[in-house]
Amino acid sequence: MEELKRPTRRRGFYVKMRLLNKNGRQQDKNLCFKYYKWVLWFSLTLYFFTSYFINHKPIPLSKTRFTNSKSNHLSRALIESVNKTFLQHPTSNNKGSLRDLKIYVYALPSKYNTDWLSNQRCSNHLFAAEVAIHKALLNSDVRTFDPYEADFFFVPVYVSCNFSTVNGFPAIGHARSLISSAIKLVSSEYPFWNRSRGSDHVFVASHDYGACFHAMEERAVADGIPDFLKKSILLQTFGVKYKHPCQEVENVVIPPYIPPESIRRTLEKFPVTGGRDIWVFFRGKMEVHPKNISGRYYSKKVRTDIWRRYNGDRRFYLQRHRFAGYQSEIVRSVFCLCPLGWAPWSPRLVESVALGCVPVIIADGIRLPFSNAVNWPEISLTVAEKDVSKLGMILEHVAATNLSSIQKNLWDPSVRRGLQFNDQDQEGDATWHVLRALSEKLDRSHSRSRVPSQSHADT
């Protein structure tokens, strides 16, 4: 009987030991799982922290101590200060389509820019692209706060806000001295101008003849582009297809500024696809007896010829005097005349496109803004200056053949967006096209030109 009982006791002991052994293994598994979770948590934490510091590396203190600085306090203020007038958190996400472009915006003393904004016209008139681009860059994803990683350097100087007390037009006689002063400041407080001689620095010259800084062509040509700007990049409204002293510099042709709010208000009242009861429209300066000024006539007499030939023509709605609500006339028109003035470009070009009126460009040899991105032949008409006498016949032919096709292309919202500046750059708007044009000039970037030599040195 005892021999029969022993296996029972052994079996109980065996079961008990199995249970104990099983629980022990379970505890080992739990311990291993906890250890694995801890290692995983630590690895992820380490990964995110290192990623953050790589993408948000601070400017080394050694790099912020510029030699030859007249004032350490001024240098620090210039590199660290943020213009509270404009700065917001960036909302656009254009970096991927702009080849990771990086632009450093100099924080110049306010006398070079924001002091001029005390006059509200400064940020709203046709030369105000210099203000709009500055605002957009301050809020853009392409902006970098580390100048050592910048591809380009934007120098925000407003030269178009000194309005004449006589006629109210922008007086730009001070432009050369103001820009020269800004260059002296950045070249003495920073090393970046001197290392490239300004070739990676960007300025805006949104005036009649761009960086020649004069409204009259003869005087502009005689003065030429100042030497201190000849190696830089100019964003300017002036551009022609032939050789001209006022564009003998690296440049990007930009559109004149039209406040987007005014376009938006007009389109709220008059939809772009609404009825158009004016066939041909122009409102502006048309001299009946043009004056000979230094051997030249205003608009080369083109506007005078338009007035003389078509003033009595019922198809043409021509007005010689200013009217604050004239955008409401553009949005009701089929064709809008865009003849040259003293310079070939005109704000009517942007207003016509934005308000859905087919622009009729009468300015021989004009180079239009963003011609690589905006398909001008599909949204506009070009008439030679010598063919003004045939204007009525030309427009009748277009109206009878391909007008609907032109209007369909013109009324595409992306076309309107492409010629308008916004306070924050948006993909496809005018500032975005400027950035895209700059991204095609990266061979001028000092930081990019150093990359190949560094990679060879590493290998």
Side-chain angles (χ1 to χ4, degrees), residues 302 305 309 362 364 383-391 394:
V302 168
D305 199 14
R309 289 180 180 274
I362 312 173
D364 293 353
V383 176
E385 294 168 13
K386 64 179 179 60
D387 290 334
V388 166
S389 59
K390 305 174 186 176
L391 190 56
I394 292 171

Side-chain angles (χ1 to χ4, degrees), residues 367-400:
R367 193 153 56 97
L368 297 168
F370 309 141
S371 56
N372 291 336
V374 178
N375 196 338
W376 287 102
E378 291 191 355
I379 63 170
S380 65
L381 303 175
T382 298
V383 176
E385 294 168 13
K386 64 179 179 60
D387 290 334
V388 166
S389 59
K390 305 174 186 176
L391 190 56
M393 183 177 61
I394 292 171
L395 298 183
E396 288 280 8
H397 175 74
V398 171

Side-chain angles (χ1 to χ4, degrees), residues 77-83 86-87 102-108 113 133-140 142-147 150 152-158 186 190 201-202 435:
L78 285 171
I79 208 167
E80 293 180 354
S81 66
V82 175
N83 193 320
F86 298 145
L87 185 59
K102 292 181 174 64
I103 298 180
Y104 182 78
V105 182
Y106 284 115
L108 298 179
N113 39 62
I133 293 173
H134 183 204
K135 284 184 179 181
L137 288 180
L138 287 176
N139 299 321
S140 175
V142 305
R143 183 188 184 188
T144 178
F145 291 90
D146 181 355
F152 297 107
F153 297 81
F154 183 74
V155 188
V157 183
Y158 303 169
V186 299
Y190 295 84
H201 283 57
V202 182
L435 297 176

